[in-house]
Amino acid sequence: MRQVRRGPAAPPGGGQGAPPYGVPQQPSYVDGQGYDGYDSGYNTGQVYGTPGGRGPGGPGYGDGYGGRAPRPAPNWRRRIKVTSITVVTVLVVTLVGTYFWADSKLNREVDLSKVIDRPEAGEGTNYLIVGSDSREGMTDEQKKELHTGSAEGKRTDSMMILHTGSNGSTLVSLPRDSDVEIPTFVGSESGKTYQGTGRHVKLNAAYAEDGPELLVRTVEFNTGLRIDHYVEIGFAGFANIVDAVGGVEMDIPQDIKDSKSGADLKKGKQVLNGEQALAFVRTRYALAGSDLDRTKNQQKFLSALAGQVATPGTILNPFKLYPTMGAGLDSLIVDKDMGLFDLADMFWAMKGVSGGDGTSMNMPLAGSSGGNLLWDKDKVKTLVEQLKNDEKVTVSGD
């Protein structure tokens, strides 16, 4: 009889698919159990990561079996520090870049070292601010729009001394028809010495004869006051600055209509654009006091313009600040020692004058002779001494 080896019974459905004797039975996946208790979560319908699985909230989370460790709380102190450093760095780079950009645009053309026999320097700083009738760079259309005419060369249309110091600012207008003596001077281009002969002319003739250097020499000789810095702006530049800042609000004291300057303004508060502003500061034939009234209007407008430029709405708005700076710096002519901080000091001082923290006046006059305006020598002497000593000005002008 054939012997039969007894052993465990083959599982149902055995046959050829049954494992041979001695091979361990493979785990079944029917009940979701796998190697080492692995649970795929597919057969049972469990959502991976819920209790019973291998995710947050389930056993084994973060135990080295492929789960994530808890995310650490954000370090807000470090984030604030990094953000602050980044913002400060950007601001510093922007400010430094702006400074060098603006500094490179200053037209330092006037050499005050050519001025001879200068008075001793006093306290505070004195700026000679000149508005010229230069039409350089203007198209025929612009000349027509601004009513400037087409005269060649350039002459002074307005002259002012701005003194800044610890006792407030003082803005003194020098009428263009002021009677002055042309002293001995050195030609700005030729380098030759021209001896003074006691010749008397209108003040604006000094500029027409040999430019800014002779004008400074003449002002210093006739006043005894040392000029520290020179600033000049032409017609087109003036109008461009006003337009760039968005116009300047002025309270016009009377109706003004002047065909020569192109002014056609009504009495009352209004915002003047570049064309209107230029017409306003140039008007004299429509004013009872002619050039004296015009210098007063020029003082008022320049102070208002400085105040407009120095407002937060301009300084903190890059879309207004950079066009204004560009228009201003492109059109200004200054002395070789003029810096951006000097320019800022000048603007803040002019703003102070308009805000009531300073004094504005015309040079004291004693009458006229042959169409020239004569200065009151005693009052001028007192005024100059007070400016030199940076004292509060007590002298009044016309």
Side-chain angles (χ1 to χ4, degrees):
M1 175 184 286
R2 184 179 178 184
Q3 293 181 350
V4 178
R5 179 174 300 187
R6 298 184 181 275
Q16 294 182 353
Y21 178 79
V23 177
Q25 184 176 3
Q26 299 298 313
S28 172
Y29 288 88
V30 175
D31 59 358
Q33 298 299 316
Y35 291 108
D36 298 324
Y38 173 82
D39 181 4
S40 68
Y42 291 108
N43 291 340
T44 62
Q46 289 181 338
V47 178
Y48 191 77
T50 58
R54 296 281 182 177
Y61 178 69
D63 59 2
Y65 286 89
R68 292 183 179 180
R71 178 177 294 178
N75 188 337
W76 289 110
R77 181 177 296 179
R78 182 175 181 278
R79 290 187 179 185
I80 293 173
K81 181 178 179 181
V82 171
T83 301
S84 300
I85 292 174
T86 302
V87 171
V88 171
T89 301
V90 171
L91 286 175
V92 169
V93 171
T94 301
L95 290 174
V96 171
T98 299
Y99 176 87
F100 284 105
W101 166 77
D103 188 71
S104 67
K105 293 178 77 65
L106 272 179
N107 300 311
R108 297 182 174 92
E109 299 179 7
V110 180
D111 189 356
L112 296 184
S113 68
K114 295 179 180 179
V115 181
I116 62 173
D117 300 332
R118 309 193 67 187
E120 291 185 3
E123 300 294 327
T125 304
N126 299 310
Y127 299 87
L128 181 60
I129 304 172
V130 175
S132 78
D133 65 358
S134 173
R135 297 151 176 87
E136 184 177 353
M138 295 177 65
T139 64
D140 291 338
E141 184 178 352
Q142 287 175 318
K143 293 176 184 177
K144 184 177 179 180
E145 288 179 356
L146 299 177
H147 300 271
T148 64
S150 300
E152 296 297 327
K154 59 181 181 178
R155 287 150 294 277
T156 52
D157 209 52
S158 62
M159 291 159 284
M160 303 177 190
I161 293 175
L162 174 66
H163 173 84
T164 66
S166 58
N167 277 296
S169 303
T170 302
L171 186 61
V172 183
S173 285
L174 309 176
R176 52 186 271 173
D177 293 339
S178 296
D179 184 88
V180 294
E181 180 182 339
I182 298 294
T184 298
F185 69 95
V186 175
S188 59
E189 296 296 333
S190 66
K192 294 172 57 177
T193 299
Y194 298 89
Q195 293 296 328
T197 61
R199 175 169 54 104
H200 279 245
V201 299
K202 293 181 179 181
L203 182 57
N204 64 344
Y207 182 96
E209 187 172 330
D210 199 51
E213 288 84 1
L214 179 55
L215 178 61
V216 170
R217 168 73 174 128
T218 302
V219 170
E220 290 186 341
F221 178 81
N222 285 270
T223 63
L225 185 68
R226 186 184 181 96
I227 299 300
D228 299 295
H229 292 293
Y230 177 92
V231 181
E232 178 186 326
I233 186 170
F235 281 163
F238 180 84
N240 289 340
I241 293 175
V242 175
D243 285 334
V245 81
V248 175
E249 184 178 66
M250 288 293 297
D251 189 356
I252 308 298
Q254 65 182 74
D255 290 349
I256 300 176
K257 191 172 182 64
D258 184 357
S259 59
K260 292 185 179 295
S261 69
D264 187 4
L265 304 170
K266 299 298 182 182
K267 179 181 178 180
K269 285 188 177 182
Q270 55 201 282
V271 176
L272 304 183
N273 61 25
E275 179 183 345
Q276 294 169 324
L278 182 59
F280 175 68
V281 299
R282 292 182 61 216
T283 294
R284 62 171 174 163
Y285 294 104
L287 304 176
S290 188
D291 198 44
L292 294 181
D293 283 349
R294 178 172 72 161
T295 57
K296 294 176 182 178
N297 286 341
Q298 290 170 347
Q299 290 177 346
K300 292 177 183 177
F301 186 85
L302 290 179
S303 296
L305 174 61
Q308 179 71 24
V309 171
T311 58
T314 299
I315 295 176
L316 300 179
N317 183 353
F319 298 103
K320 184 177 286 188
L321 175 63
Y322 284 97
T324 301
M325 289 179 64
L329 296 173
D330 280 339
S331 55
L332 291 179
I333 296 175
V334 300
D335 65 272
K336 293 184 179 295
D337 294 326
M338 186 80 162
L340 291 177
F341 291 109
D342 299 311
L343 199 59
D345 174 64
M346 184 190 79
F347 268 96
W348 280 106
M350 293 182 69
K351 180 187 178 185
V353 171
S354 66
D357 295 331
T359 302
S360 61
M361 58 185 290
N362 277 328
M363 186 64 84
L365 300 176
S368 62
S369 176
N372 291 6
L373 298 175
L374 303 176
W375 293 351
D376 186 318
K377 293 183 179 180
D378 291 336
K379 286 187 175 181
V380 170
K381 182 178 179 180
T382 302
L383 171 64
V384 170
E385 286 300 316
Q386 290 175 340
L387 294 179
K388 274 187 174 182
N389 297 325
D390 195 25
E391 299 172 349
K392 187 173 181 61
V393 173
T394 60
V395 178
S396 61
D398 296 286

